[in-house]
Every structure is written in structure tokens, then in C-alpha cells.
Amino acid sequence: MSESVFKAILLLAALFFTGFFALVVVPPLVENPDVWGAFAAGFVNPYASGYSTDVLVCWFILATWVVYEAKTHAVRYGWVCLLLGVVPGVAVGFALYLLIRGKQIK
């Protein structure tokens, strides 16, 4: 797989998730802007709790990786990806970090 195809797939995945997030999460949040309640709703049953915990741990792993590479490889702007990892989600933050990292590390 060529590098440009890989980058396109990462970008499409990030855009897909952002669109899905916007369609599914934003309307109920606009109707009831209780952010903490929305966060807690991710833990309403054992299955949702499992997925939500996975997302939180993945964000922590991404944050650790971003901080490590900022210090060891001088990768810049990883903090933007961590913010995007919170909203809309880790899928977007991780994909964009790989794109940013790819431009800075050769």
C-alpha cells in the first residue's frame, strides 16, 4: 500500500467518525446539553461500559505516546490530536496524529 493511500484511508476514517459522531451525538446533546449526563450514559450497561472504558484507555495510551514522541522525536502539535481525541473521539485524534507524525518523522 502506498503512503498516499494510507494517508487517504486515515483521513477518510477520521472524517467518517466525525460525521457519525455529529449525526448521532450532537442532536441529543443540543436538546439536553448535560455533558456529564451524556458521558455517564456511556456506562449504562456492561457492554457500553466495556466500550467506554476501552475508549478512555485508548485515549490514555495515545496521550502517553504523544508526550513520549514529543520528547524523543520532537513531534509537534500532538496536543491538538489529544483535544480531538476527547471530542469527537479517539478515532479522529489517533488518525490525525499518525498523519501529523508522518510529516514530521521520516
Side-chain angles (χ1 to χ4, degrees):
M1 176 184 317
S2 72
E3 186 176 341
S4 61
V5 171
F6 177 70
K7 288 178 180 180
I9 290 170
L10 286 175
L11 188 57
L12 285 173
L15 291 173
F16 168 79
F17 183 79
T18 302
F20 181 81
F21 183 88
L23 289 172
V24 172
V25 175
V26 172
L29 196 56
V30 168
E31 186 177 310
N32 180 11
D34 178 12
V35 174
W36 291 114
F39 176 77
F43 295 91
V44 295
N45 62 55
Y47 306 109
S49 295
Y51 285 114
S52 295
T53 302
D54 179 59
V55 168
L56 294 173
V57 172
C58 285
W59 186 90
F60 178 76
I61 292 168
L62 176 62
T64 303
W65 188 8
V66 166
V67 170
Y68 172 78
E69 288 198 336
K71 292 182 185 296
T72 60
H73 299 295
V75 177
R76 298 179 322 257
Y77 308 116
W79 63 271
V80 173
C81 301
L82 295 179
L83 291 177
L84 291 170
V86 174
V87 174
V90 179
V92 175
F94 181 52
L96 293 181
Y97 182 73
L98 291 176
L99 292 170
I100 288 172
R101 179 186 188 275
K103 288 186 181 222
Q104 295 180 35
I105 294 180
K106 292 291 179 186

